Amino acid sequence: MTAIRGTLSPIVGGAAIVVAAALTLAWLGHPWICTCGTVKLWHGVTVSSENSQHLTDWYTPSHVIHGILFYFGLWLVARRLSLSTRALIALAIEAAWEVIENTPWIINRYREVTISLDYFGDSVINSIADMLAMLAGFWLAARAPVWLSVVAVIALEVIVGAMVRDNLTLNIIMLIHPLDAIRDWQAGG
């Protein structure tokens, strides 16, 4: 019975974190699913009112990268904690980011400094899928050799950057210190 309780505790804790974030996003006014009325496994058009409204999109890889980075960051500063405890901490950080990212402050910042003029935030289901993508990245980093995690991060950044002229690195740069050269390149100029 103790073994079952020990296994269920992280699952219940993780579910509570995801549910709390989902309810907060709904309270902030974000739709549970795309207002188009459908739920797609993949939506690959970034310049679209359906971007970040379905389960996965071109920004899903950035959440996988979050998981890889959170794994290594927590390994550096909290390696004495169990893997499940570190995963819960990573999930709490990701959930907090999902809420912060979907506040008017960040949404308006995206609109002001990036080419995402039509961005109005994620649907709740997209945010939940983003949190699960982060856990997938965390799991990958926990199981794979370091070199594979490094290759995965580089490959995801290069592929997404080449396909949609955006990725985690560019997103961070444009939020913190926007550069006209990046904005022009992202716009196709």
Side-chain angles (χ1 to χ4, degrees), residues 109-110 112-115 165-184 186:
R109 180 72 177 160
Y110 276 126
E112 289 169 9
V113 300
T114 71
I115 59 168
R165 295 178 182 239
D166 205 2
N167 57 29
L168 180 59
T169 303
L170 295 174
N171 234 311
I172 292 169
I173 291 168
M174 293 303 287
L175 276 175
I176 295 172
H177 186 72
L179 299 172
D180 290 336
I182 292 175
R183 186 182 4 246
D184 292 345
Q186 288 180 321

Side-chain angles (χ1 to χ4, degrees), residues 87 132 147 175:
L132 295 176
W147 69 265
L175 276 175

Side-chain angles (χ1 to χ4, degrees), residues 31-40 49-50 53-54 123 125:
W32 283 93
I33 64 169
C34 179
T35 56
C36 66
T38 63
V39 176
K40 298 176 188 173
S49 61
E50 292 185 39
Q53 300 303 300
H54 297 283
S123 68
I125 198 166

Side-chain angles (χ1 to χ4, degrees), residues 63-159:
H63 297 280
V64 173
I65 294 169
H66 289 173
I68 294 168
L69 296 176
F70 292 162
Y71 173 81
F72 286 110
L74 289 166
W75 178 83
L76 285 172
V77 301
R79 73 179 76 165
R80 289 189 174 166
L81 296 177
S82 69
L83 183 62
S84 61
T85 299
R86 287 182 278 149
L88 284 174
I89 293 168
L91 183 58
I93 294 167
E94 183 74 7
W97 171 246
E98 282 298 320
V99 171
I100 293 166
E101 175 188 37
N102 286 287
T103 61
W105 180 64
I106 294 292
I107 291 170
N108 291 331
R109 180 72 177 160
Y110 276 126
R111 288 182 186 155
E112 289 169 9
V113 300
T114 71
I115 59 168
S116 302
L117 301 175
D118 294 331
Y119 181 68
F120 54 91
D122 299 356
S123 68
V124 175
I125 198 166
N126 178 263
S127 289
I128 291 170
D130 288 346
M131 289 181 257
L132 295 176
M134 184 284 301
L135 284 173
F138 190 94
W139 179 86
L140 171 71
R143 302 285 183 258
V146 173
W147 69 265
L148 184 58
S149 294
V150 172
V151 167
V153 169
I154 293 168
L156 290 171
E157 284 290 88
V158 169
I159 291 167

